[in-house]
Amino acid sequence: MNIKMMNGLSGFMLVLAVAFPAASFAQTVDLLQAVQMSLNADPRVKEREQLVESARALLEEAQANDGWRINANLFVGLAPAVSGGFYQGGATSGTTPRTDGPFPGGLSDWTSLQVALIKPLFTFGKIKHYSEAAEGNIDVKRGDVRISKADTVMDVKRAYYGYLTARDSRRFLEDVQNRLDSALKRVSQNLKDDNGESKQSDLYAMQAARGMLGKYLSQAKAIEKISLNGLKVLTGVGMDADLQVADDSLTPVALPKDSLAELQSKALQDRPEMAQLEAGMRARRALVAAKKSEKYPNVYAGIVSTANYASRRDRLNNPYVYDPFNNVGATPVVGVKWDMAFDVTDAKVAQEQAELEALNYKNQYAQAGIPFQVSEAYQHVHANYQALQDLAEGATAARRWMISSLADFNAGLESADKVADALKTYALTQAEYLKTVNDYNMDVAQMYRAAGELK
C-alpha cells in the first residue's frame, strides 16, 4: 500500500469517526473492568473525596492559628474643627486658652485607623489539640471514601451478575418456550385432524404451561434490560451507549479458602469502620482536651498602632497634650488575652466527653457486631455453595426429563400433561439454579466486603 492510499484510508477513517461517534460502537467489559470504570466515574466516590479535601482545609485552618494575624479597623466620622496652638492665636504665653467656639461652631472630617499585628506565643494546647482533632476528622472522611468505594463495587457486581442471571434465564426460557410451542402445535394439529392422539385437556395443559413460562420470560427480559442499564450508569458510559459483557454465561465464583477465624480477624483490622472509630475517638479525645484548654488565656506578642487625622484640626506638637482626633503612634506589645465564659466552657467539655463515651460504646458494639457480620456472610456462602451442587444435579435431571418427555410425546408414548409438568419443572429448577448462582456470587462479594477487602 503506497503513501497516497494510506492517506486516503486515514481520511476515510476520520470521516467515519466524525459521522459515527465512539459511543455508537459496542464496548465489551468484564467484571474487573466494569468495577474500575465505575470507581473512576461514580460521583458518590468523588463527593466523598471532596469531603476529604474539606477536612484537610480544616486542618490547615487549625494550624494557621499559630501564625501572624492582623486586626484592623478603619472608619470615617466627624470631629470638632479647631485652629491655632495651645493658646489662642498660637501664642506661647498668655492666659486666654484657645476656644473652639460654641459647638457646632465647626466640624471636620475625621479618619481613624487602628491596627494590631499579633502572633500567639503560647495557647495552653489549643492549637495543638484542635489540629489533632482535625487530623482525626481527615481519617474519618477517608474511611467514608473506602465505604463509598465498597458500595460501588457491590452495586457493580449486583448489576453485572443480575444481568448475566437474567440473560441466561431468558435464553433457556426461550428454548423451553420453543419446545413447548412445537408440542402445542402438534397437539393443535392432532385435535384438528381428530386422530385421537391428543385430547382437549392436553391443549389446556400446554397452554397453561406456556402462560407460566411467558410470565417468567417477560420478567427475565425486564431484569436483563434494567441490570444492563444500571451497569451503563455505574460505569459512566451512559444509557445510550452499546455496552456488552465479556462473560458468555453466569458461572459461580470459586469457593473462598479463608477460614472464618481468619476472615473475622482480618475484618477487625481492615474494615474502614474500625479505622473510622479509632480516628473518631482520637479526634474526640483531642476535642475534650481542646475545650479544657479554653479555660486558659493566650499569650501573644505583636505591634499595636493607631492613626487619626482631622483635616480641620491643627496638630498639637505637645507631648503633654493628647488629641484623640489627630495623632499617630505605634508600639510593640506582649500580652495575655482571655476569651472565656466559665459555665459555657464547662458545658462544652461535658458535651465532648459524652461524645467520646458514645464512641467508646460504639466501638464495643463493633468489636462484637463485625465478627457476626462476617460469620453471617460466611454461612450464607457455604450454604448456597452446597445448594448449587444439589440444584445443578436437579437442573440436569429436569432437562433430561423434559427432553425424554418430549421425545416420548412425539412418539405418542407420553401424555401432554406430563410433558407440561416436565417443562415447568425444568424451567423452575433451572431458574432457581441461576438465582442461587447469583445469590452465591453476591454472598461471596458480601463476605469479602464484611472482611474489609475491596475485591
Side-chain angles (χ1 to χ4, degrees):
M1 182 179 292
N2 58 35
I3 299 298
K4 184 176 181 180
M5 292 178 64
M6 292 179 63
N7 290 337
L9 181 59
S10 299
F12 177 69
M13 294 300 294
L14 180 60
V15 171
L16 285 179
V18 174
F20 303 98
S24 64
F25 295 97
Q27 183 177 5
T28 303
V29 296
D30 58 22
L31 180 57
L32 292 179
Q33 291 172 329
V35 166
Q36 190 58 52
M37 290 171 64
S38 299
L39 289 175
N40 293 333
D42 197 331
R44 297 173 297 179
V45 175
K46 297 182 184 299
E47 175 191 4
R48 298 295 183 182
E49 290 173 344
Q50 290 305 309
L51 292 178
V52 173
E53 296 303 317
S54 175
R56 287 198 180 100
L58 287 177
L59 172 61
E60 294 174 359
E61 178 183 349
Q63 293 173 338
N65 283 315
D66 194 33
W68 287 92
R69 66 185 66 185
I70 184 170
N71 294 323
N73 183 28
L74 173 66
F75 64 86
V76 176
L78 296 174
V82 296
S83 61
F86 184 66
Y87 293 100
Q88 189 173 15
T92 58
S93 61
T95 58
T96 303
R98 183 188 68 178
T99 60
D100 297 339
F103 186 80
L107 292 176
S108 173
D109 57 280
W110 170 36
T111 303
S112 177
L113 174 64
Q114 295 137 19
V115 179
L117 186 62
I118 300 297
K119 186 182 188 309
L121 297 179
F122 188 68
T123 63
F124 292 90
K126 296 183 186 70
I127 295 175
K128 174 186 175 184
H129 296 315
Y130 278 119
S131 297
E132 290 174 352
E135 289 173 351
N137 184 46
I138 292 175
D139 291 336
V140 171
K141 299 303 182 184
R142 285 173 176 163
D144 287 339
V145 173
R146 291 182 58 193
I147 292 174
S148 185
K149 287 184 176 180
D151 290 340
T152 299
V153 172
M154 291 296 294
D155 288 344
V156 172
K157 290 183 176 180
R158 190 174 294 109
Y160 195 90
Y161 290 137
Y163 170 75
L164 291 177
T165 303
R167 188 185 66 180
D168 287 3
S169 297
R170 173 183 58 79
R171 286 174 175 174
F172 91 80
L173 286 172
E174 287 176 341
D175 176 64
V176 173
Q177 190 178 65
N178 290 334
R179 294 174 184 271
L180 181 58
D181 286 343
S182 297
L184 187 59
K185 184 177 181 181
R186 178 180 176 83
V187 170
S188 298
Q189 186 63 43
N190 289 337
L191 291 174
K192 184 177 180 180
D193 295 341
D194 196 17
N195 54 18
E197 293 185 9
S198 299
K199 299 176 294 184
Q200 189 67 36
S201 59
D202 294 337
L203 178 64
Y204 296 150
M206 292 286 186
Q207 290 174 339
R210 195 184 190 289
M212 186 65 68
L213 286 176
K215 171 194 172 183
Y216 292 131
L217 181 58
S218 297
Q219 291 178 339
K221 289 179 178 178
I223 296 174
E224 180 182 8
K225 186 173 183 59
I226 292 170
S227 299
L228 185 59
N229 285 338
L231 193 62
K232 291 177 181 179
V233 172
L234 288 168
T235 54
V237 300
M239 291 182 59
D240 295 332
D242 187 2
L243 184 68
Q244 298 179 6
V245 300
D247 294 81
D248 294 329
S249 62
L250 176 69
T251 56
V253 299
L255 181 68
K257 302 300 183 182
D258 308 83
S259 68
L260 177 58
E262 290 173 341
L263 292 169
Q264 289 173 329
S265 176
K266 182 184 293 292
L268 291 175
Q269 295 177 2
D270 298 341
R271 279 281 288 268
E273 292 90 340
M274 296 302 299
Q276 283 184 306
L277 281 171
E278 190 278 329
M281 289 190 292
R282 188 172 72 248
R284 286 297 174 185
R285 283 191 291 265
L287 283 174
V288 170
K291 295 303 180 183
K292 289 180 178 179
S293 66
E294 295 285 356
K295 297 180 179 180
Y296 303 99
N298 294 331
V299 181
Y300 67 91
I303 299 175
V304 176
S305 63
T306 181
N308 292 278
Y309 173 71
S311 65
R312 297 184 63 193
R313 292 177 68 92
D314 290 345
R315 182 176 179 82
L316 294 176
N317 296 317
N318 189 325
Y320 298 101
V321 180
Y322 170 72
D323 183 359
F325 299 108
N326 213 344
N327 65 81
V328 63
T331 179
V333 296
V334 176
V336 179
K337 183 177 182 295
W338 278 268
D339 186 10
M340 180 189 66
F342 288 94
D343 294 337
V344 174
T345 301
D346 290 338
K348 289 182 177 180
V349 172
Q351 178 184 355
E352 296 299 336
Q353 186 66 46
E355 295 285 351
L356 176 59
E357 293 302 322
L359 276 180
N360 284 328
Y361 286 117
K362 183 177 287 188
N363 184 51
Q364 293 178 20
Y365 179 78
Q367 293 288 341
I370 285 180
F372 171 76
Q373 290 179 354
V374 176
S375 176
E376 181 183 25
Y378 183 87
Q379 299 302 331
H380 281 304
V381 166
H382 285 266
N384 274 329
Y385 182 78
Q386 183 59 48
L388 283 179
Q389 316 307 312
D390 298 333
L391 282 170
E393 295 178 3
T396 301
R399 180 175 178 81
R400 291 170 180 170
W401 179 22
M402 176 193 69
I403 294 174
S404 61
S405 295
L406 285 171
D408 291 342
F409 175 76
N410 291 329
L413 302 176
E414 186 65 273
S415 63
D417 59 338
K418 298 297 183 182
V419 174
D421 287 341
L423 289 168
K424 288 189 294 186
T425 300
Y426 170 63
L428 293 174
T429 306
Q430 183 65 20
E432 190 62 29
Y433 170 76
L434 291 173
K435 178 180 179 299
T436 305
V437 173
N438 177 72
D439 292 342
Y440 165 75
N441 287 351
M442 290 306 301
D443 286 337
V444 172
Q446 180 59 38
M447 185 184 72
Y448 280 124
R449 180 184 180 180
E453 296 187 27
L454 190 65
K455 57 188 281 187

